[in-house]
Amino acid sequence: MFGALADGTRRAMLADLAVGESTVSRLASPHAMSLPAASKHIRVLERAGLVSRTIEGRVHRLSLRPDRLRDAAEWIAFYRRFWDESLDRLDEVLASFDDGVGETTDTGNAVDTGASAGDAP
Amino acid sequence: MTTGRLLIVRRELAAPPERVFAALTTPAQIARWIGPRGVAASNVAVDLRVGGEFSFDLDFGEAVITMRGRYEAVDPPSRLVHTWGVAGAGDDSRVTIELAAAGAGTELRLTHAGLQPDEFAQNRAGWDEFFDQLDEYLVETGEGTD
């Protein structure tokens, strides 16, 4: 999906669809782009699960599938927080070491050893 | 397979690169900082070499999740690259950590990228514009994420 999102034209089409459902020609028009070229972009978005198409006779209505975008947004929000907080904690761990003295235990379990590495059980 | 950039985090840390690298790669130290606050890490295992694997458990309360990955570059004290994913799920991403001495401390740069096949040339117009639009959409529809 992130490949589908890596293109500026496709992101603009998603922004248009966020306002409401549309058609291929309406999505193409701001980009001075041929209908086949626009269709190709839209197919990429469909394959990525971001856009769905309903066909009524000769009219193809395209609409946004917000659940997939929300998944991506949640993934990014989760990992932004994950790394921000992990690096905050890393900063605190580094600050808690005495000069030249690191962690001496070899266990892989989280242990609250307090401020002094020398007190590690 | 090419990568899509997802997020970059930069930090200044008050310790020299060698110590930071040790904190990133030693099981007992990893356990003390990996994961969000309130989430305890355990069972940290590290095989620190190219092709070696690491894994650890994160206790989120309702669920304990095992994270694991494989090291792709191990260049102490300046560079560490590894894959990253939940054990059992097929959705791996890649984390690149670069360390540079900055005075008595270290400048750390972490890039977390999804692994996606990309049939089209990547447009480097940037992610921020998209995320601004996404944020606006989510706020408008009352489904704002924090």
Side-chain angles (χ1 to χ4, degrees), chain B residues 22-95:
Chain B
L24 296 173
T25 54
T26 308
Q29 295 184 48
I30 291 169
R32 292 177 62 187
W33 60 266
I34 192 76
R37 294 192 188 280
V39 174
S42 61
N43 300 323
V44 183
V46 171
D47 180 10
L48 190 66
R49 57 183 178 89
V50 175
E53 298 193 341
F54 68 87
S55 66
F56 54 87
D57 293 340
L58 291 176
D59 187 347
F60 286 94
E62 320 88 51
V64 176
I65 309 273
T66 300
M67 305 297 306
R68 87 286 177 271
R70 174 175 286 114
Y71 292 106
E72 297 184 333
V74 180
D75 302 315
S78 51
R79 194 156 175 268
L80 193 66
V81 181
H82 57 79
T83 62
W84 174 271
V86 174
D91 202 12
D92 281 10
S93 48
R94 175 178 289 119
V95 175

Side-chain angles (χ1 to χ4, degrees), chain A residues 1-2 6-8 11 15 18 40 44 47 64 66 69-70 73 75-76 79-94 96-97 100 103 105 107-110 113, chain B residues 6-7 9 11 13-14 19-20 23 28-29 31-37 39 41-44 58 67 84 93 95 108 110 112 116 119-120 123 125-127 130-131 133-134 137 143:
Chain A
M1 176 183 43
F2 291 100
D7 179 275
R11 290 200 298 273
K40 192 173 174 190
V44 172
R47 278 204 301 275
L64 189 66
L69 279 178
R70 196 177 314 136
W75 194 102
I76 288 152
Y79 273 113
R80 198 169 266 154
R81 177 174 156 242
F82 183 100
W83 293 119
D84 276 346
E85 294 198 13
S86 296
L87 294 175
D88 284 347
R89 295 172 69 193
L90 173 59
D91 208 6
E92 291 161 17
V93 166
L94 292 168
S96 75
F97 290 151
E103 185 66 52
T105 64
T107 60
N109 293 310
T113 60
Chain B
L6 290 182
L7 61 88
V9 181
R11 277 305 168 96
L13 300 168
R19 187 174 296 167
V20 176
Q29 295 184 48
R32 292 177 62 187
W33 60 266
I34 192 76
R37 294 192 188 280
V39 174
S42 61
N43 300 323
V44 183
L58 291 176
M67 305 297 306
W84 174 271
S93 48
V95 175
L108 176 150
L110 183 151
H112 195 163
Q116 294 286 330
E119 315 165 68
F120 303 90
N123 182 321
W127 285 91
F130 167 71
F131 292 139
Q133 292 169 351
L134 178 61
Y137 163 69
E143 295 165 320

